[in-house]
Amino acid sequence: MMPSSSSSSCCRGGQFHGASSGAMAANRSTRGPRPLLTRVYAEKRLGVGGNASILQDMHRKELQDRIREKLQTVELSTSSYDTAWVAMVPLRGSRQHPCFPQCVEWILQNQQDNGSWCTNRFGSAVTRDVLSSTLACVLALKRWNLGEDHIRRGLNFIGRNFSIAMDEQFDATVGFNITFPGMLSLAMEMDLEIPVRQTDMDRLLRLRETELKRESGDQCYGRKAYMAYVSEGLGNLLDWDEIMMFQRKNGSFFNCPSTTAATLINHYDNKALEYLNLLVSKFGSAVPPVYPLNIYCQLSWVDALDKMGISEYFATEIKSILDTTYSSWLERDEEIMLDITTCAMSFRILRMNGCHVSSAELFHIAESSSFHESLQGYINDRKSVLELYKASKVSLSENDLILDSIGSWSGSLLKEMLCSNGVQKTPTFEEMEYALKFPFYTILDRLYHKRNIEHFDSKDSQMLKTEYLLPHGNQDILTFAIKDFSTSQSIYQDELNYLDSWVKDEKLDQLPFARQKLTYCYLSAAATIFPPELSDARIAWAKNGVLTTVVDDFFDLGGSKEELENLVDLVEKWDGHHQGEFYSEQWLCLLRSMMTEAEWQRIKYVPTMEEYMGNAVVSFALGPIVLPTLYFVGSKLHEDIVKSHEYNELFRLMSTCGRLLNDSQGFEREDMEGKLNSISLLVHHSDGSMSIEEAKRTAQQSIDTSRRSLLRLVLGEQGDVPGPCKQLFWKMCKIVHMFYFRTDGFSSPKEMVSAVNAVVKEPLKIKVTDPYASILSGN
């Protein structure tokens, strides 16, 4: 026990039969009046407290409105590089004139003072990306014999910074060793003179030759896709007819303007021209690096809001995005299915929001060989591997061979990437580390939110042929999340102070046999039932957690056989006298199950595994914690609901995970104390054929099966139990996984202290230079 040791709209939000609407009154001490706490909570929630609070609330509303607006429209950053290639496309029938003169004009109007073409999204530093963009813009102007002064200044900029192109310490864009030398060759053909030494020029030109020879014998699909993707750097070296196999329904090649433009320059195609016409009509004189990117960008927004703990404020917008994405998934839209990152992210987010999505749609990347034959696999794209790994973990069945296979090879590949000397400590690198270290079912929400707020990257970008900002890397999200977390944390502190007084008032701290686990019990509440308005749910959860710990310790250490029997008898009589107001069947079931275990130990009875687990799902003591809390999360529960098969299954699966996790981590201690648990029973009943480690592996298999089955119930079609209530069972499952992930964290006096401090006590430590964010976080 925890205390013991095919609609397109997709958002949907055990053993204890006696939990009814009276369950919240199971113990009078869980219902004590809290007028002061309630008032303080209301004031903090509503912003009462003077002009400063009013101004902060106004600012919060403005932030919320701005985020909501951005959720409804996708803003893509401009790419100088891609705009330059589109500008080089000639007018059909008149190759002496540009097809898109507005793009040429944009180049003339947007040169920087230093001679480069850079949108200054990433500061003033010169990078290989800036060099590529500048050279492409120079080529576009020279192609139409315009902007002589612009060309001169651009060439001088390239000459001054040419060493960066040769320095491997600088991050390279995808295909840089092909596209940049290819553009240099084109510049030489145009009689452009770059002010650099010929030896340096030759060295860069050899990069392309080396790159092409390196895997010249490799004819896999991934290499062909890569060569098509960087086609603007290959020119006459490419068979342009073969490139057509990579054209998409929208006329583009890889949804990439520069690749599509280069193809159109060398191989006229009506559909490609239609794609570029659409781009220019939509974005004007400057195009983005990728289009369309709507689904990926909007899902990134949804993911970011969830990771920062503020998704509840944008539920309507998120539902609209998920419904649209689900429709696209069902239609097998190329924007999803032909991009591995978007496909994996769509699968994970849609499934975790209750949509019926089959892992069969990931069959094409079930094996590592299939991934490496794709463009993203060929370029070793870390984001794709990370998203695939995260998607593989939302498995709902023990026989999902596709997800298991993806999880195996993507996990291994992530580890290889982390060990690579060339990988820097970027936000993606840190996320890869975190995903490998902490499975999602061991992560408590508020701890995760705090980590993400403190590590938020407002300049989150992706590097393809050019670097571009992702729209969810938005300062408004950070500021809003800081405000929300800080307000919540203040409420948590008040609640914990109130609970501490309650423990002392009830003299629970004076029981010599009882462990003092209030902070751990409250952590499990605040870290999962985190919205500020769910104060009653957190209080009920924490109080009952404390009480079950006391009862467990009484049965384990504090009571004689007669005292234990008297306690059970007392509760039975108490129920009989007060059924009109409340009753405590869940507590009575718990006491009887604990009594059974105490009797087994007293007479040295060795139960079967079936007997043990049948009793253990009750004696693990999650019922008195979870079940009363169900009545405080907003959904009305009727008697028939809490007696339904679905309800009992949710409880059984949750408790099975907890019991087996606790047994695995507590086996050595309990074995020394002469107590039986599932591990020792597996070994005992195997007649010597099973070792302790084998028994632990067997238990872990049962844990994995129960956890997946629980998640399937929680995310499945709406049944008897309301969605918010089902989520509580999943939250408790995550709590027991977190407490018993690597050790018996609940029994340890220190193991979870840092988690308590992080959620309740320690203010946010913001690394960004945002004055308002620093004020909100208290730094």
Side-chain angles (χ1 to χ4, degrees), residues 336-603:
I336 294 177
M337 298 303 171
L338 293 185
D339 183 83
I340 292 174
T341 307
T342 305
C343 188
M345 183 186 286
S346 298
F347 175 83
R348 170 176 59 86
I349 294 177
L350 289 175
R351 172 166 281 192
M352 288 304 293
N353 281 276
C355 302
H356 178 69
V357 288
S358 172
S359 59
E361 296 293 354
L362 302 177
F363 176 77
H364 62 293
I365 41 175
E367 302 297 333
S368 60
S369 57
S370 301
F371 173 72
H372 288 298
E373 288 232 341
S374 68
L375 172 60
Q376 286 159 302
Y378 189 82
I379 64 176
N380 216 25
D381 181 54
R382 292 192 282 271
K383 185 68 173 175
S384 298
V385 181
L386 176 60
E387 284 299 335
L388 283 169
Y389 181 74
K390 289 160 69 174
S392 74
K393 298 307 170 186
V394 294
S395 175
L396 307 181
S397 167
E398 60 180 319
N399 297 314
D400 198 328
L401 301 180
I402 292 175
L403 292 186
D404 288 345
S405 177
I406 291 174
S408 176
W409 69 255
S410 61
S412 298
L413 189 52
L414 282 178
K415 291 174 184 175
E416 290 177 15
M417 290 175 169
L418 290 175
C419 293
S420 171
N421 292 330
V423 178
Q424 297 178 347
K425 279 275 188 178
T426 62
T428 299
F429 178 96
E430 292 176 347
E431 193 175 355
M432 288 160 60
E433 278 188 320
Y434 194 82
L436 286 171
K437 188 175 182 180
F438 301 106
F440 84 103
Y441 50 80
T442 69
I443 299 172
L444 301 191
D445 296 333
R446 228 37 177 163
L447 282 170
Y448 189 49
H449 298 159
K450 187 172 189 181
R451 176 198 176 276
N452 292 325
I453 292 170
E454 292 182 339
H455 289 78
F456 184 77
D457 181 16
S458 61
K459 294 184 178 179
D460 191 11
S461 65
Q462 186 154 337
M463 184 78 81
L464 292 176
K465 283 191 287 189
T466 185
E467 187 173 13
Y468 63 96
L469 276 176
L470 296 171
H472 65 269
N474 185 282
Q475 197 70 30
D476 287 343
I477 291 182
L478 176 62
T479 306
F480 190 90
I482 290 171
K483 170 67 175 175
D484 184 70
F485 188 93
S486 300
T487 300
S488 299
Q489 192 174 57
S490 180
I491 293 169
Y492 302 158
Q493 291 166 3
D494 291 335
E495 290 174 354
L496 186 55
N497 288 336
Y498 160 75
L499 286 166
D500 188 59
S501 297
W502 168 77
V503 167
K504 293 174 181 175
D505 290 344
E506 300 293 336
K507 296 182 172 54
L508 297 174
D509 59 330
Q510 297 179 25
L511 298 174
F513 59 84
R515 293 166 293 168
Q516 299 303 307
K517 294 294 180 182
L518 170 61
T519 55
Y520 284 15
C521 293
Y522 184 71
L523 167 68
S524 68
T528 54
I529 314 172
F530 60 86
E533 65 272 15
L534 295 181
S535 180
D536 286 332
R538 287 189 294 274
I539 295 296
W541 182 290
K543 280 187 173 182
N544 283 305
V546 170
L547 293 173
T548 54
T549 304
V550 171
V551 170
D552 180 65
D553 290 344
F554 183 65
F555 272 82
D556 277 351
L557 303 169
S560 66
K561 179 177 182 293
E562 182 181 5
E563 288 172 326
L564 300 183
E565 290 173 343
N566 287 341
L567 177 60
V568 175
D569 185 56
L570 179 63
V571 175
E572 287 175 340
K573 291 178 179 178
W574 185 54
D575 265 1
H577 284 291
H578 299 282
Q579 281 188 356
E581 300 176 34
F582 51 77
Y583 61 94
S584 55
E585 183 173 343
Q586 53 193 296
W587 281 94
L588 188 55
C589 289
L590 173 62
L591 295 177
R592 286 170 176 167
S593 68
M594 289 182 170
M595 193 71 199
T596 297
E597 290 184 348
E599 185 65 13
W600 284 348
Q601 185 174 0
R602 189 182 68 82
I603 66 174

Side-chain angles (χ1 to χ4, degrees), residues 15 589 592-601 603-620 652 656 659-660 663 676-678 681-682 684-685:
Q15 300 292 313
C589 289
R592 286 170 176 167
S593 68
M594 289 182 170
M595 193 71 199
T596 297
E597 290 184 348
E599 185 65 13
W600 284 348
Q601 185 174 0
I603 66 174
K604 310 246 182 258
Y605 175 71
V606 180
T608 66
M609 273 297 293
E610 290 74 18
E611 287 178 307
Y612 175 81
M613 289 305 300
N615 189 72
V617 293
V618 180
S619 68
F620 191 58
R652 182 185 68 82
T656 298
R659 176 76 274 170
L660 294 176
D663 283 359
L676 291 172
N677 71 19
S678 58
L681 286 174
L682 284 169
H684 175 83
H685 290 303

Side-chain angles (χ1 to χ4, degrees), residues 165-210:
M166 300 183 292
D167 191 341
E168 296 296 329
Q169 297 298 314
F170 283 84
D171 289 337
T173 56
V174 173
F176 179 84
N177 288 349
I178 289 179
T179 56
F180 193 76
M183 289 190 293
L184 287 177
S185 294
L186 188 56
M188 293 169 64
E189 292 174 10
M190 292 180 170
D191 295 326
L192 287 170
E193 294 185 4
I194 301 176
V196 297
R197 293 178 300 182
Q198 188 60 43
T199 53
D200 291 340
M201 180 74 78
D202 292 341
R203 179 181 169 188
L204 256 296
L205 292 173
R206 282 196 296 271
L207 282 178
R208 182 174 65 164
E209 183 180 347
T210 302

Side-chain angles (χ1 to χ4, degrees), residues 74-369:
V74 174
E75 296 180 3
L76 300 179
S77 58
T78 295
S79 167
S80 305
Y81 179 83
D82 289 87
T83 300
W85 277 100
V86 172
M88 283 187 257
V89 175
L91 186 66
R92 191 182 187 191
S94 180
R95 297 188 66 83
Q96 300 307 310
H97 297 90
C99 187
F100 302 103
Q102 59 269 61
C103 294
V104 180
E105 182 62 25
W106 184 90
I107 295 172
L108 288 169
Q109 296 299 324
N110 284 274
Q111 188 175 31
Q112 302 298 308
D113 292 339
N114 63 2
S116 73
W117 274 270
C118 174
T119 56
N120 289 323
R121 298 184 303 273
F122 307 100
S124 58
V126 178
T127 63
R128 289 177 164 186
D129 178 21
V130 175
L131 288 174
S132 287
S133 297
T134 301
L135 182 52
C137 288
V138 167
L139 293 176
L141 294 179
K142 181 63 176 178
R143 174 70 179 82
W144 309 115
N145 291 317
L146 295 170
E148 183 177 343
D149 186 59
H150 294 73
I151 292 173
R152 177 186 58 77
R153 291 168 56 214
L155 291 175
N156 286 336
F157 173 84
I158 295 170
R160 291 195 307 272
N161 298 282
F162 202 75
S163 61
I164 293 172
M166 300 183 292
D167 191 341
E168 296 296 329
Q169 297 298 314
F170 283 84
D171 289 337
T173 56
V174 173
F176 179 84
N177 288 349
I178 289 179
T179 56
F180 193 76
M183 289 190 293
L184 287 177
S185 294
L186 188 56
M188 293 169 64
E189 292 174 10
M190 292 180 170
D191 295 326
L192 287 170
E193 294 185 4
I194 301 176
V196 297
R197 293 178 300 182
Q198 188 60 43
T199 53
D200 291 340
M201 180 74 78
D202 292 341
R203 179 181 169 188
L204 256 296
L205 292 173
R206 282 196 296 271
L207 282 178
R208 182 174 65 164
E209 183 180 347
T210 302
E211 182 86 6
L212 294 175
K213 284 182 178 179
R214 184 166 54 89
E215 298 182 31
S216 57
D218 186 353
Q219 294 301 312
C220 73
Y221 184 88
R223 178 170 171 78
K224 290 180 180 179
Y226 173 67
M227 290 300 163
Y229 181 65
V230 297
S231 58
E232 66 267 33
L234 295 171
N236 295 329
L237 299 176
L238 208 58
D239 184 341
W240 291 95
D241 288 328
E242 288 189 1
I243 300 300
M244 301 308 294
M245 67 186 289
F246 298 103
Q247 189 171 38
R248 299 189 176 180
K249 291 179 182 178
N250 62 11
S252 78
F253 294 83
F254 309 101
N255 287 341
C256 177
S258 54
T259 301
T260 306
T263 304
L264 191 57
I265 291 169
N266 290 277
H267 187 286
Y268 182 80
D269 179 80
N270 274 328
K271 290 179 64 179
L273 181 59
E274 289 173 5
Y275 169 78
L276 294 182
N277 275 321
L278 172 66
L279 272 187
V280 174
S281 65
K282 182 176 180 63
F283 295 100
S285 55
V287 302
V290 184
Y291 181 81
L293 200 62
N294 289 31
I295 294 176
Y296 176 76
C297 287
Q298 290 196 308
L299 287 180
S300 296
W301 267 101
V302 171
D303 204 32
L305 293 172
D306 182 60
K307 290 196 292 188
M308 302 287 274
I310 55 176
S311 58
E312 62 169 319
Y313 299 100
F314 308 96
T316 301
E317 292 76 19
I318 289 174
K319 183 182 184 303
S320 177
I321 290 171
L322 295 181
D323 285 348
T324 301
T325 303
Y326 189 48
S327 294
S328 297
W329 176 278
L330 294 176
E331 294 168 2
R332 306 194 82 254
D333 192 315
E334 283 189 347
E335 190 179 345
I336 294 177
M337 298 303 171
L338 293 185
D339 183 83
I340 292 174
T341 307
T342 305
C343 188
M345 183 186 286
S346 298
F347 175 83
R348 170 176 59 86
I349 294 177
L350 289 175
R351 172 166 281 192
M352 288 304 293
N353 281 276
C355 302
H356 178 69
V357 288
S358 172
S359 59
E361 296 293 354
L362 302 177
F363 176 77
H364 62 293
I365 41 175
E367 302 297 333
S368 60
S369 57

